[in-house]
C-alpha cells in the first residue's frame, strides 16, 4: 500500500535442510522460512526475492543438498548469492570435521547456480517489451556509452540514452532480457 517501499527483498536462507540449518545455528527451519516467504508473497504478489545459499557446509549430505534444491524450486528466486562453505576461524563450524571433497562442493555449486539462473531468467522474461523505472547510477563499468541502474524490483538494467541521466529515475523500455540483467533504451 506504500509506493515508496521497494518491491524486492533479500531473504537469506543459507540451506534448505533443517539439519544443516540447525548445525549452522540459524534458529529457523525450512518450513518456517517457506511460511514467511509465503506470507510476504501473499501480501505483495509482485515482490522479487533474492537470497544467500551456502553449499558444502561440513558433512552436508546429498539429501541435505537436494532439500536446498527443492527449496529453490519452491521459492523460484530472482537471484541468489551462492557460495561454497569456507571455514572462518573462531566459529563452531571451523572446528567441525568436514567429509565433503572439494570437487563435490564445486559440483553442487554449479548445479545450484544453473537452477538459480533458470529461475532468474524465467522471472525476467515478462520484462521484455515493458517499460520500467530505473534509478540510474551512471555509466556502466564495462561500457561508458551505456548507463546502469536498478529497477523498483532491484533488477540490474543496462540502457542507452542521452547524456546527464546519472542520479535520475529514468523510464527504460526493455529490449533484451538475461538471467541477471535487463537491457533497454531510455524513453
Amino acid at each position: 500500500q506504500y509506493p515508496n517501499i521497494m518491491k524486492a527483498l533479500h531473504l537469506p536462507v543459507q540451506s534448505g535442510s533443517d539439519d544443516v540449518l540447525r548445525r549452522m545455528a540459524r534458529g529457523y527451519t525450512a518450513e518456517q522460512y517457506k511460511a514467511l516467504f509465503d506470507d510476504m508473497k501473499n501480501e505483495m504478489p509482485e515482490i522479487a526475492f533474492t537470497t544467500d545459499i551456502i553449499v558444502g557446509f561440513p558433512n552436508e549430505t546429498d539429501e541435505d543438498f537436494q532439500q536446498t534444491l527443492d527449496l529453490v524450486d519452491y521459492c523460484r528466486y530472482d537471484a541468489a548469492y551462492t557460495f561454497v562453505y569456507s571455514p572462518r576461524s573462531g566459529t563452531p563450524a571451523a572446528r567441525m570435521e568436514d567429509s565433503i571433497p572439494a570437487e563435490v562442493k564445486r559440483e553442487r555449486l554449479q548445479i545450484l547456480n544453473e537452477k538459480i539462473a533458470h529461475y532468474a531468467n524465467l522471472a525476467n522474461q515478462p520484462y521484455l517489451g515493458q517499460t520500467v523505472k530505473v534509478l540510474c547510477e551512471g555509466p556502466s563499468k564495462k561500457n561508458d556509452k551505456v548507463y546502469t541502474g536498478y529497477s523498483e524490483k532491484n533488477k540490474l538494467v543496462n540502457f542507452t540514452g542521452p547524456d546527464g541521466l546519472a542520479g535520475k529515475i529514468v523510464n527504460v523500455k526493455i529490449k533484451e532480457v538475461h538471467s541477471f540483467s535487463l537491457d533497454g533504451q531510455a524513453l
Side-chain angles (χ1 to χ4, degrees):
Q1 70 191 29
Y2 300 101
N4 62 327
I5 295 177
M6 199 168 179
K7 292 170 178 57
L9 181 66
H10 186 71
L11 190 63
V13 69
Q14 309 304 343
S15 175
S17 162
D18 289 345
D19 185 52
V20 171
L21 290 171
R22 181 186 51 74
R23 288 187 286 118
M24 287 179 168
R26 291 296 169 183
Y28 55 87
T29 66
E31 286 305 313
Q32 289 168 324
Y33 179 92
K34 289 194 297 191
L36 179 60
F37 176 91
D38 289 342
D39 286 348
M40 289 185 213
K41 198 78 165 162
N42 287 334
E43 284 294 318
M44 191 181 293
E46 69 279 7
I47 193 168
F49 281 97
T50 57
T51 195
D52 298 334
I53 299 174
I54 296 170
V55 298
F57 192 77
N59 305 308
E60 175 188 66
T61 66
D62 289 340
E63 183 181 340
D64 293 328
F65 178 62
Q66 184 58 53
Q67 289 169 356
T68 296
L69 295 177
D70 293 345
L71 183 74
V72 170
D73 286 335
Y74 184 89
C75 295
R76 300 171 63 121
Y77 297 104
D78 290 68
Y81 299 97
T82 59
F83 310 91
V84 169
Y85 168 78
S86 59
R88 291 188 182 163
S89 66
T91 64
R95 295 188 301 272
M96 293 178 186
E97 187 175 324
D98 188 1
S99 63
I100 307 169
E103 181 181 315
V104 171
K105 292 179 183 187
R106 285 191 300 273
E107 287 172 5
R108 287 179 181 171
L109 183 64
Q110 181 179 346
I111 291 166
L112 175 63
N113 285 340
E114 287 171 2
K115 188 173 282 282
I116 295 290
H118 170 74
Y119 287 122
N121 190 280
L122 286 178
N124 284 347
Q125 287 303 316
Y127 288 96
L128 188 60
Q130 299 297 313
T131 299
V132 297
K133 289 182 181 180
V134 177
L135 175 57
C136 180
E137 292 186 343
S140 166
K141 292 175 185 168
K142 294 180 181 178
N143 182 346
D144 62 3
K145 294 179 181 13
V146 174
Y147 287 107
T148 190
Y150 288 87
S151 74
E152 293 175 299
K153 290 189 179 181
N154 204 33
K155 301 285 185 178
L156 175 63
V157 181
N158 298 300
F159 62 98
T160 55
D163 290 342
L165 296 179
K168 295 182 180 175
I169 295 176
V170 180
N171 286 322
V172 176
K173 179 141 184 161
I174 303 303
K175 306 282 187 176
E176 209 174 311
V177 298
H178 310 282
S179 290
F180 301 110
S181 66
L182 308 170
D183 295 343
Q185 170 70 46
L187 299 178

